[in-house]
């Protein structure tokens, strides 16, 4: 199910890139040639973005998030627990945060690499099909 979800998310990214490419080609430059230029540009951008996200996850060259020093996860003024006294229930326990259902956008933001790579693949297929069957980008006219 994860691969299908990544494929659908990639399809959404492909739609965004395709619409932006069509808008730039027809409204901006008024030539179909630029459609064949913009689709591979978005494809390369998505591959680059996926690579940078991967490098950040592997903490390559210091791209990792800052980690706190040991023992400093609670500020000094909150160690006493005075701010938690009013939050306890009658039995003295603190209520837990409710378990919320996973948000699809949040799941995409946790690992966007498969969706970005699927979108790059779909854009490559789209650019190839437009060139092969319709001649988009074959000549500048």
């Amino acid at each position: 199910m994860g691969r299908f979800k990544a494929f659908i998310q990639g399809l959404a990214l492909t739609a965004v890139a395709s619409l932006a490419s069509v808008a730039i080609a027809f409204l901006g430059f008024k030539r179909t040639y630029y459609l064949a230029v913009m689709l591979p540009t978005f494809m390369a951008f998505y591959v680059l973005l996926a690579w940078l996200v991967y490098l950040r996850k592997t903490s390559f060259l210091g791209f990792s998030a800052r980690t706190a020093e040991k023992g400093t996860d609670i500020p000094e003024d909150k160690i006493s627990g005075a701010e938690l006294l009013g939050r306890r229930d009658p039995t003295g326990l603190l209520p837990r945060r409710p378990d919320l259902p996973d948000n699809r956008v949040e799941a995409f933001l946790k690992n966007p690499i498969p969706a970005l790579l699927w979108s790059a693949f779909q854009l490559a297929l789209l650019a190839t099909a437009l060139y092969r069957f319709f001649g988009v980008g074959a000549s500048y006219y």
Side-chain angles (χ1 to χ4, degrees):
M1 188 66 180
R3 289 183 184 183
F4 182 70
K5 188 183 288 187
F7 178 79
I8 296 300
Q9 290 171 345
L11 201 58
L13 290 174
T14 300
V16 169
S18 299
L19 290 175
S21 298
V22 167
I24 291 170
F26 291 123
L27 300 177
F29 294 113
K30 300 191 181 9
R31 301 220 187 275
T32 58
Y33 173 79
Y34 290 103
L35 181 61
V37 172
M38 293 308 296
L39 288 174
T41 302
F42 276 104
M43 178 191 67
F45 175 71
Y46 285 165
V47 169
L48 176 67
L49 192 60
W51 183 53
L52 290 175
V53 169
Y54 174 76
L55 289 180
R56 183 177 172 96
K57 283 187 175 197
T58 59
S59 68
F60 179 74
L61 291 180
F63 280 153
S64 66
R66 294 183 193 173
T67 57
E69 297 176 11
K70 290 184 180 179
T72 61
D73 55 345
I74 299 175
E76 288 289 328
D77 59 339
K78 302 214 179 196
I79 290 178
S80 66
E83 70 278 350
L84 298 176
L85 289 177
R87 302 181 100 191
R88 294 179 186 236
D89 64 2
T91 61
L93 298 175
L94 290 172
R96 291 182 60 182
R97 189 172 36 169
D99 292 332
L100 300 174
D102 289 337
N103 189 356
R104 290 181 182 168
V105 174
E106 189 175 303
F108 171 72
L109 292 177
K110 284 183 182 175
N111 190 16
I113 296 172
L116 288 168
L117 293 178
W118 268 116
S119 181
F121 178 71
Q122 292 163 358
L123 285 171
L125 288 178
L126 179 63
T128 303
L130 287 174
Y131 180 82
R132 173 77 172 110
F133 298 116
F134 300 109
V136 174
S139 63
Y140 182 82
Y141 50 86

